[in-house]
Amino acid sequence: MKIEEIKKMLEATGLPVAYDHFKEQTDPPFLVYLLPESKNIIADDCVYQGKVLVRVELYTDKKDPELERKVENALVDMVWKKTEVYINSEEMFEIMYEMEVMTE
């Protein structure tokens, strides 16, 4: 899967989407996605298959299960793990979806 495909999947939610961060102040809700680390499959002392960790972060100013389902529906073809935290200093919820994706 290509990173452009992930962006298109997220854009289908209708929310603002950016890689890593927005250049300008963006009011919630919005999505940010990033590739924080590789998870390559190693064989014979070399990379046999490229794999990356993809992190999708949904930021909202209130708990919104319906919006979370919208994001989850966009990620329907992927296997993901979900975590949630409230960021006091920003007064926002961060709902994080993590998945491993094979690279081409």
Side-chain angles (χ1 to χ4, degrees), residues 1-10 33 54 101:
M1 174 171 282
K2 295 180 181 178
I3 192 68
E4 297 85 18
E5 294 174 51
I6 294 170
K7 183 179 182 188
K8 285 180 185 176
M9 291 167 57
L10 297 175
Y33 67 101
V54 177
V101 176

Side-chain angles (χ1 to χ4, degrees), residues 6-95:
I6 294 170
K7 183 179 182 188
K8 285 180 185 176
M9 291 167 57
L10 297 175
E11 287 173 337
T13 65
L15 295 170
V17 177
Y19 181 80
D20 190 55
H21 65 281
F22 287 90
K23 293 183 181 191
E24 297 180 5
Q25 175 74 27
T26 304
D27 292 327
F30 60 85
L31 290 166
V32 173
Y33 67 101
L34 55 147
L35 311 173
E37 68 180 282
S38 65
K39 297 278 195 167
N40 294 330
I41 299 170
I42 308 298
D44 297 327
D45 294 326
C46 65
V47 175
Y48 175 74
Q49 173 68 57
K51 187 165 58 165
V52 294
L53 176 68
V54 177
R55 184 177 298 149
V56 174
E57 300 169 354
L58 169 63
Y59 292 91
T60 62
D61 53 3
K62 63 182 172 41
K63 181 72 176 160
D64 191 340
E66 187 174 318
L67 189 56
E68 291 174 39
R69 276 191 296 280
K70 195 175 198 179
V71 173
E72 292 163 11
N73 287 339
L75 300 173
V76 71
D77 292 332
M78 308 190 73
V79 176
W80 43 263
K81 175 178 78 168
K82 177 179 173 180
T83 57
E84 177 181 316
V85 65
Y86 184 75
I87 305 169
N88 285 318
S89 61
E90 300 290 331
E91 297 183 348
M92 282 195 287
F93 286 94
E94 175 191 46
I95 295 85

